[in-house]
């Protein structure tokens, strides 16, 4: 069994250079820690799925919570899964192509009302692209 965790945050100082740095660092560290996943991003939100050994995923999430490039970090979904969604990706970058919520939806609180299945479904759709 793998541990899977999905969180949302608001990027602080979002720009292409910052995003490139986050992705490069994530890919190196995740490969070392047997973590895979995906980052869906746009200027107003990061939505990330991490999957791998529970202790490594929890430690990675703790680092993210203390990273000043993110604000308002909140865990949305966590639990055991039989299989990885992104077995070949140390960190897949999805520039919100599979995103289904508008900025207005986010401001309206959709992350607080969406079910774990709806949130995970965004990443499932991302695997099909």
């Amino acid at each position: 069994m793998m541990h899977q965790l999905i969180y949302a945050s608001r990027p602080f100082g979002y720009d292409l250079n910052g995003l490139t740095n986050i992705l490069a660092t994530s890919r190196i560290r995740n490969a070392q820690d047997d973590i895979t996943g995906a980052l869906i991003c746009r200027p107003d939100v990061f939505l990330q799925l991490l999957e791998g050994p529970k202790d490594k995923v929890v430690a990675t999430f703790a680092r993210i919570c203390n990273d000043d490039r993110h604000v308002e970090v909140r865990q949305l979904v966590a639990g055991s899964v039989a299989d990885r969604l992104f077995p070949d990706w140390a960190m897949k970058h999805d520039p919100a192509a599979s995103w289904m919520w508008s900025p207005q939806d986010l401001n309206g609180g959709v992350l607080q009302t969406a079910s774990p299945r709806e949130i995970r479904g965004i990443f499932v759709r991302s695997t099909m692209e």
Side-chain angles (χ1 to χ4, degrees):
M1 293 297 281
M2 291 284 117
H3 188 70
Q4 192 176 78
L5 184 145
I6 300 172
Y7 77 88
S9 67
R10 192 168 47 86
F12 182 77
Y14 179 89
D15 64 20
L16 188 54
N17 289 334
L19 176 60
T20 300
N21 185 35
I22 288 170
L23 289 168
T25 302
S26 296
R27 288 174 178 146
I28 292 167
R29 287 193 94 154
N30 290 353
Q32 293 169 343
D33 290 340
D34 191 28
I35 293 175
T36 56
L39 173 63
I40 298 174
C41 56
R42 54 182 211 210
D44 62 336
V45 70
F46 285 155
L47 186 68
Q48 186 170 24
L49 180 144
L50 301 167
E51 55 194 4
K54 184 175 183 176
D55 61 329
K56 300 292 186 176
V57 169
V58 170
T60 298
F61 182 60
R63 278 194 308 273
I64 290 165
C65 288
N66 291 311
D67 187 328
D68 62 5
R69 297 172 294 187
H70 303 261
V71 294
E72 300 171 12
V73 180
R74 64 192 144 185
Q75 180 178 304
L76 302 173
V77 179
S80 296
V81 293
D83 297 306
R84 295 175 188 252
L85 279 176
F86 300 96
D88 300 323
W89 289 93
M91 186 50 55
K92 179 181 179 183
H93 170 229
D94 182 344
S98 65
W99 195 258
M100 66 182 239
W101 295 313
S102 70
Q104 294 79 15
D105 292 334
L106 286 175
N107 288 334
V110 70
L111 289 175
Q112 290 80 16
T113 60
S115 71
R117 182 181 174 138
E118 290 171 310
I119 293 167
R120 191 170 187 273
I122 291 170
F123 290 99
V124 170
R125 282 191 298 284
S126 180
T127 66
M128 298 174 197
E129 296 178 356

